Amino acid sequence: MAIKFAPSIKTLREASDRLFTPAFYKDFQCIGAECENNCCHHWNVTMDKPTYQNFKNHGDIKIRQVAKEQTTSCGPNGFDYRQMKLQPNGDCPFLDEQRLCYVHKNHSEDILPLICKVYPRDNKLLGNEIYSSLSISCPEAARKILLDPSSMNIEQSAVTADSQMPFFASRGFTGDAPLLQRFKQLAYQCILAENADTIEERLFYLAVLFVMTSECAKQDMDAMLLRFERSLVTGELAKMYQETPVDQNAQVFVIQKLMYAQGFAAGNEVFLNYKIQAIDKIKLTDAYNETLNQLDLSDYYARFCQPGYQKLIDSHGFAFLNLLLHWIYAKPFELTDGPELFNQFSTFALKFFYVRLLCGILNDDDQQDPGALLVGVIHSISRKSDHDKYLSKQVYDSLIEQGLAKPEHILV
């Protein structure tokens, strides 16, 4: 379903009666030219028809020229009416020598295409409640979300005539808002469970919740959520996790797919740099056969990834909790669409596995800044996995073909 926007502050104020604002959202500011992975580079920028007409007739000749000569048609109307033609190096044609937006710097934010005004803000209108958020694919947003232990503290306030309202909120959700909130509360309990010893165990609990929900008919949803809550509180899920064996075949398969899949790093130099570093480190281990140019991955993760990953957990375990909490908070899951719900979890699980893999390989010496590594790896992976589902779908489809698509195969 297409995203629909509520761009009018008056409309949002009238449509909502409650506002949720996480700590990470409150003091976010774009850092412009200081950003290490600019969103004006290698990303498709679209504009709505009114913006295009304004640019085409603008008094600034550069803006007119770009609109007429460096955009292509996307569709007859809507928010994706025209698309910018990127420069040969991947830059937006409005990105200047100082890595700043020509339009924003010389005119104002007000005339920018909607996507440029909005990103990385990712606000949702669910029922009559507004949930303010940021996309973790932005480096500065990722810093705010991941590196502050209190970033996921959420302030609730009633919407009044004096409330400071967000510029926009998407209306892409049509389901049962109270039911979604109940589902999310259980998801938060999974992530913050006191009887869970590892991040993987918490993610396993989430997997069970998503699987049970994806297989449940809407009329049975209340009873199912009660059953799940009992299994979480009584320790039944913890016992299930402890009795689930590690499937090394699945881990090896996913490592191979993620590390050597083509196309995932295209237009994403930050991620490509991490991937090249990781592959170079892999080739230095005795798991790499130089003659055959292949890896013996039977115990690669345990030997070479787990130690570096554990160091990150010891110093920045809260960042991984924030990653999970932010995902649940920011997503408007359609609970009655079982296949899509499970696909959403599978995509996130693969993203987590990729984060764990790269961070574990690269966090192998005391010179590495663990916070910078987490922000760099997570935002750059998110830039693909959250906005381009092709690789995740490719890996997941391959897992299905191998009979390895159950959550427990890679999460323990």
Side-chain angles (χ1 to χ4, degrees), residues 146 198-204 206 241 251 254 258 264 301 306 309 312-313 316-317 319-325 327 344-360 374 377-378 381-382 385-386 392 407 410-412:
L146 297 171
T198 64
I199 299 295
E200 288 74 13
E201 184 171 355
R202 299 164 200 273
L203 199 55
F204 181 86
L206 279 178
Y241 178 78
Q251 291 192 350
V254 173
L258 293 178
F264 192 73
Y301 179 80
Q306 182 63 27
Y309 170 64
L312 273 178
I313 291 294
H316 286 75
F320 288 92
L321 289 178
N322 286 350
L323 175 65
L324 269 62
L325 290 169
W327 178 62
Q344 287 176 317
F345 176 80
S346 300
T347 298
F348 182 80
L350 289 171
K351 170 180 168 177
F352 172 82
F353 192 91
Y354 215 162
V355 168
R356 187 177 75 168
L357 175 66
L358 285 183
C359 287
L374 279 167
V377 168
I378 290 174
I381 289 178
S382 299
S385 67
D386 294 7
S392 298
I410 63 171
L411 296 182
V412 293

Side-chain angles (χ1 to χ4, degrees), residues 208-228:
V208 177
L209 173 61
F210 274 78
V211 170
M212 290 177 65
T213 306
S214 68
E215 295 175 349
C216 183
K218 187 177 189 301
Q219 62 268 24
D220 302 325
M221 197 76 72
D222 286 336
M224 182 279 297
L225 292 176
L226 279 173
R227 288 197 306 275
F228 177 83

